[in-house]
Amino acid sequence: NRNAVLVGYGLLLGTELGVPAVVIITQPFVSSAQAMAVAHGLPDYPFVVIPHPIAATARNTLQGWADQVTDQVVGIFLHTTG
């Protein structure tokens, strides 16, 4: 599925290509993201999880969700959270 491919790409960028990357997923795709991480040998790979859906959600709500996870995203980039 397309979401699993995107998660796999994020894992590839961050671990094999050395490009700083944070995988942000919506709640329904947590198990798929975890399966991709395990498949890539990274069972403890940190993900940022936001609510679902995105496409039908008001912009101000999306901004609020982004604000709520900003510290987590920065922490993953700085390797201070997981």
Side-chain angles (χ1 to χ4, degrees):
N1 91 28
R2 183 178 70 156
N3 296 309
V5 169
L6 293 174
V7 169
Y9 184 67
L11 292 169
L12 174 70
L13 281 175
T15 60
E16 295 180 25
L17 298 179
V19 176
V22 175
V23 176
I24 302 172
I25 57 172
T26 60
Q27 188 60 46
F29 301 105
V30 169
S31 61
S32 294
Q34 289 170 334
M36 287 298 294
V38 169
H40 285 270
L42 302 164
D44 297 322
Y45 191 87
F47 300 101
V48 175
V49 181
I50 60 173
H52 189 85
I54 292 176
T57 301
R59 184 182 197 122
N60 62 328
T61 300
L62 292 171
Q63 183 63 51
W65 294 348
D67 290 343
Q68 291 172 6
V69 299
T70 299
D71 288 341
Q72 188 179 0
V73 170
V74 171
I76 291 171
F77 272 124
L78 298 176
H79 306 289
T80 59
T81 64

